[in-house]
Amino acid sequence: MTVDPETKFGIKIQTKAGPRTLAQKYSLVAGVIYLAFGVIGLFWTGLGGGTDMMNDMLFGIFMVNPFHNIVHLTVGLLWLLGAFALTPPATEGLNLAIGSFWVLATLLGFLGYLSSLAINSGATPDNYLHLVTAVATLVLGTGLLRAFGGRSHATTA
């Protein structure tokens, strides 16, 4: 007996374009932004140096190095996967995981444990960007707003 992925895991790749949920729209916007930051960052830093603290400032605000840019590219691609390939519940689950990742990155950044990503400790623009991203992802990307509004996946457009 063969079990399809939707039955086994609750995830089904979308084959038709329909109205997107708020979580999918958020994934699309966040994915494009983080993918763009990663690409621009790689043009800025190049691939040399890896995890070195290079004092390269993206837009004159954010410290980056090649490893930091690769993390942004990876997260951006995951968000685009959620926007285009996953069902609404799977996209919300992905956003919950990514939002949790940004919460952890924020905490570790403020504490100074992310120097390999060129993130300084304390109140830096990188740490505040990650905090805003975490909150936005957990609120807009996980169905939290829908829980207060009482709308289902089928009626969210």
Side-chain angles (χ1 to χ4, degrees):
M1 181 172 124
T2 305
V3 178
D4 64 281
E6 184 177 17
T7 303
K8 188 172 183 180
F9 302 109
I11 298 172
K12 180 180 179 185
I13 293 180
Q14 297 295 305
T15 56
K16 63 178 177 135
R20 296 195 187 286
T21 63
L22 179 60
Q24 290 170 319
K25 290 175 186 176
Y26 177 81
S27 290
L28 176 62
V29 171
V32 167
I33 290 170
Y34 268 82
L35 196 63
F37 278 9
V39 169
I40 293 167
L42 279 177
F43 278 115
W44 189 260
T45 64
L47 290 173
T51 61
D52 295 340
M53 186 67 88
M54 302 167 66
N55 293 324
D56 284 325
M57 303 284 282
L58 186 63
F59 307 122
I61 302 171
F62 304 108
M63 293 282 292
V64 292
N65 64 16
F67 188 50
H68 193 149
N69 296 323
I70 290 169
V71 170
H72 283 182
L73 287 171
T74 303
V75 172
L77 289 172
L78 284 171
W79 262 322
L80 291 177
L81 171 74
F84 292 112
L86 300 179
T87 61
T91 301
E92 288 180 6
L94 177 70
N95 284 334
L96 179 61
I98 293 173
S100 300
F101 166 80
W102 288 122
V103 168
L104 181 61
T106 300
L107 293 173
L108 293 175
F110 274 111
L111 294 173
Y113 292 110
L114 294 179
S115 60
S116 63
L117 293 169
I119 298 173
N120 291 319
S121 63
T124 65
D126 281 303
N127 292 324
Y128 285 116
L129 174 66
H130 297 155
L131 177 62
V132 168
T133 302
V135 170
T137 302
L138 293 173
V139 171
L140 298 174
T142 61
L144 185 63
L145 293 177
R146 188 182 67 252
F148 291 109
R151 293 169 41 161
S152 69
H153 287 288
T155 60
T156 306

